[in-house]
Amino acid sequence: MTATVAAPERRRVYRLIPAEHGHRLTRQEDAVPRPAGREVLVRIRAASLNYRDLMVRRGQLGEVRDGLIPLSDGAGEVVAVGSEVTQWRAGDRVAPLFYPLWTAGKYREAYGPSALGGGNSDGVLADVIAVPEASLVRVPDTLDFAEAATLPCAALTAWQALVVRGGVAAGDTVLVQGTGGVALFGLQIATALGARVIVLSSSDDKRERASRLGAFATVNYRTTPDWDIEVRKLTDGLGVSHLLELGGPGTFDRSLRAIRAGGHIAQIGVFTGFGPQSNLMRLQLINASIDGINVGSGEQFAAMNSFIAGRGLKPVIDRSFAFDEAEAAYAHLASGQHFGKVVIRF
Ligand SMILES: NC(=O)c1ccc[n+]([C@@H]2O[C@H](COP(=O)([O-])OP(=O)(O)OC[C@H]3O[C@@H](n4cnc5c(N)ncnc54)[C@H](OP(=O)(O)O)[C@@H]3O)[C@@H](O)[C@H]2O)c1
């Protein structure tokens, strides 16, 4: 038996259909799924895009099921619950986990295929979705749905890297690469903890905006390609204590030179390709470490949400698009013009 509270009958949904190059986005309408025993129906109010969503569409992250609903990140409200659901009721403000199976503890490889909006697992670009009750977290009351929709991947990745694995503390120095989603959450979280954050950006206008958000210093990595030297100068010749490595092969060697003795590199991104091939000898010589970072668990997400609410942090939304403008939202992210997050409001 299923308890249903004013759930709609039909929904708008986008699906990925194979095309000549990657996948095209098609808009459809279909019946709203019924929640099974332990499932919850969530009316998605906003979704946000990540660099990963571009890679999924281009087919860079492996096979995508024909008709997959894209996007991992959304927030909304519970509209109906299955008969065995105990944790949620209609009206609760929630966000689904990027890895629905990774609720707590350490990451396991078996969680990988469950990632929303990739491979075979439907994502959030639909008015209403059905998800297991254990795969939801409550979103902060301090955020509206558009702001909350930016948290599941970008914010949680920065949180795991800096707080859970890195243990960032007051007085530390942090480097973030670029001014996209992960980088700006890194800037905001580390600054709130009393660290001094250096931001790399290819745009002087975005550097200015990063300074207004609290960056201790900024470096233009286009006009200063030896940015590692500049970063050392900015840290009394020592290098930074934490670094969010977002570039991959094209940035890793410089990251190794920009990290200080005993420092912590969080390996996260793939902007310049997959798999850095750097010589890791320097890491050994300076007793530094690299952690591979893969988003985060539900437990980590909940802790981050308390922090965000407690510190009054507001995600930086560059631009919002309407549901009908999903294609334009993808194009805006792909242009690299954004500062922070690109959002779709339903
Ligand atoms: N491991 C994980 O769990 C995980 C989770 C989330 C994201 N990621 C990865 O982390 C990266 C960031 O994702 P995102 O969604 O935050 O991206 P995003 O919002 O699309 O960020 C785009 C911005 O990054 C900057 N950028 C691009 N190439 C760069 C380079 N070579 N060096 C320095 N900055 C560069 C640019 O900033 P400026 O315009 O200021 O130059 C660009 O506007 C991606 O590679 C993504 O795949 C990994």
Side-chain angles (χ1 to χ4, degrees):
M1 206 187 90
T2 294
T4 307
V5 189
E9 296 287 317
R10 308 281 299 166
R11 67 175 183 179
R12 300 170 301 170
V13 56
Y14 282 98
R15 295 184 182 278
L16 294 180
I17 306 295
E20 200 180 336
H21 302 290
H23 297 81
R24 82 193 148 75
L25 203 55
T26 55
R27 205 188 124 162
Q28 302 175 353
E29 220 183 282
D30 64 16
V32 164
R34 316 306 297 172
R38 293 221 167 119
E39 281 187 339
V40 172
L41 269 198
V42 180
R43 184 195 287 267
I44 299 292
R45 294 293 191 186
S48 80
L49 283 82
N50 292 288
Y51 188 74
R52 168 199 185 241
D53 300 311
L54 300 176
M55 293 192 290
V56 167
R57 255 186 96 169
R58 292 176 191 142
Q60 288 175 297
L61 298 182
E63 219 164 290
V64 173
R65 191 191 75 226
D66 192 356
L68 185 90
I69 303 175
L71 302 193
S72 57
D73 289 12
E77 63 209 335
V78 171
V79 287
V81 297
S83 58
E84 293 164 44
V85 168
T86 55
Q87 294 177 50
W88 307 105
R89 57 182 186 185
D92 285 343
R93 301 172 78 247
V94 295
L97 299 182
F98 182 94
Y99 287 112
L101 299 177
W102 190 14
T103 54
K106 293 201 169 171
Y107 183 76
R108 294 186 194 171
E109 285 193 52
Y111 300 155
S114 72
L116 296 184
N120 195 30
S121 302
D122 279 334
V124 301
L125 196 48
D127 279 327
V128 186
I129 60 171
V131 292
E133 72 163 329
S135 74
L136 291 171
V137 293
R138 202 172 292 281
V139 297
D141 291 338
T142 50
L143 302 185
D144 64 23
F145 284 124
E147 291 164 338
T150 67
L151 304 178
C153 178
L156 186 53
T157 299
W159 175 262
Q160 192 203 158
L162 292 169
V163 179
V164 181
R165 307 284 286 282
V168 165
D172 283 351
T173 45
V174 176
L175 177 73
V176 301
Q177 298 175 339
T179 55
V182 176
L184 289 194
F185 278 116
L187 166 62
Q188 290 180 291
I189 291 167
T191 303
L193 288 167
R196 286 182 302 171
V197 182
I198 302 172
V199 177
L200 300 184
S201 177
S202 57
S203 148
D204 289 338
D205 175 54
K206 291 183 182 180
R207 287 173 59 206
E208 180 64 40
R209 293 167 75 182
S211 298
R212 287 203 295 272
L213 260 185
F216 155 71
T218 65
V219 180
N220 187 321
Y221 63 89
R222 284 268 156 73
T223 55
T224 309
D226 290 338
W227 49 262
D228 49 316
I229 296 174
E230 198 57 30
V231 167
R232 292 188 80 86
K233 280 189 203 153
L234 288 164
T235 51
D236 301 325
L238 297 173
V240 289
S241 31
H242 301 264
L243 190 152
L244 299 191
E245 192 4 92
L246 302 180
T251 51
F252 214 92
D253 284 339
R254 290 191 191 285
S255 293
L256 285 172
R257 295 198 285 270
I259 196 77
R260 77 167 57 189
H264 174 247
I265 295 177
Q267 185 185 331
I268 296 171
V270 294
F271 281 139
T272 66
F274 297 91
Q277 316 233 318
S278 300
N279 181 339
L280 298 183
M281 188 62 196
R282 181 175 151 72
L283 210 66
Q284 172 185 335
L285 291 176
I286 63 167
N287 239 22
S289 57
I290 304 177
D291 271 336
I293 301 295
N294 194 354
V295 193
S297 68
E299 196 176 39
Q300 293 168 9
F301 197 163
M304 176 185 76
N305 286 347
S306 300
F307 180 84
I308 286 173
R311 304 297 180 106
L313 294 190
K314 289 281 186 186
V316 180
I317 295 179
D318 176 80
R319 199 165 151 194
S320 298
F321 292 83
F323 188 85
D324 292 347
E325 301 170 325
E327 192 64 77
Y330 271 88
H332 186 58
L333 189 82
S335 77
Q337 287 168 17
H338 58 291
F339 179 84
K341 296 297 296 179
V342 177
V343 164
I344 298 174
R345 288 177 200 263
F346 286 29

